[in-house]
Amino acid sequence: MRTISQFDAQRYKDELEGLREEMTDILVEMEHRHSTSSREAFSKWWEEDGAMRRYYDLKGKAEKIEQILFYSVIEEEEYPKMRKK
């Protein structure tokens, strides 16, 4: 277990929200293409054009952030500490 600042925790949460929105956009487009395209056209978009890879890359990043947040203790700070370079 590690300690992270409330500011870093919020940054992780914001990033996670962005990843989830992007994943949702891909899934919505997937549903649209699946219902309006031929199987071949859908497969090309999903597999060859990289939509599947992009979706699973986003999912992996989201899962890593969820793990960081789950296993971290959030340190409440009145004033943020300066980070060392």
Side-chain angles (χ1 to χ4, degrees):
M1 193 159 297
R2 67 174 159 175
T3 302
I4 60 175
S5 73
Q6 66 197 28
F7 306 102
D8 286 338
Q10 186 59 51
R11 184 177 53 88
Y12 282 127
K13 289 175 186 176
D14 292 343
E15 184 177 354
L16 184 59
E17 182 180 331
L19 292 169
R20 287 181 176 155
E21 287 175 6
E22 201 170 340
M23 287 168 53
T24 300
D25 291 344
I26 291 173
L27 291 176
V28 167
E29 185 174 356
M30 180 184 77
E31 286 294 322
H32 174 72
R33 285 179 181 259
H34 193 275
S35 65
T36 60
S37 302
S38 67
R39 282 188 178 186
E40 294 80 20
F42 174 79
S43 292
K44 181 182 181 315
W45 170 80
W46 182 242
E47 295 170 8
E48 296 173 25
D49 293 346
M52 178 174 64
R53 179 176 176 84
R54 179 73 180 138
Y55 175 79
Y56 285 109
D57 285 347
L58 293 168
K59 188 173 191 297
K61 288 177 186 178
E63 289 172 353
K64 285 180 185 178
I65 293 171
E66 287 171 340
Q67 290 294 312
I68 289 169
L69 290 171
F70 183 79
Y71 289 107
S72 295
V73 173
I74 299 172
E75 183 179 86
E76 299 292 328
E77 300 175 350
E78 193 169 325
Y79 301 101
K81 296 175 185 171
M82 297 299 290
R83 292 191 184 136
K84 296 179 182 175
K85 293 185 178 183

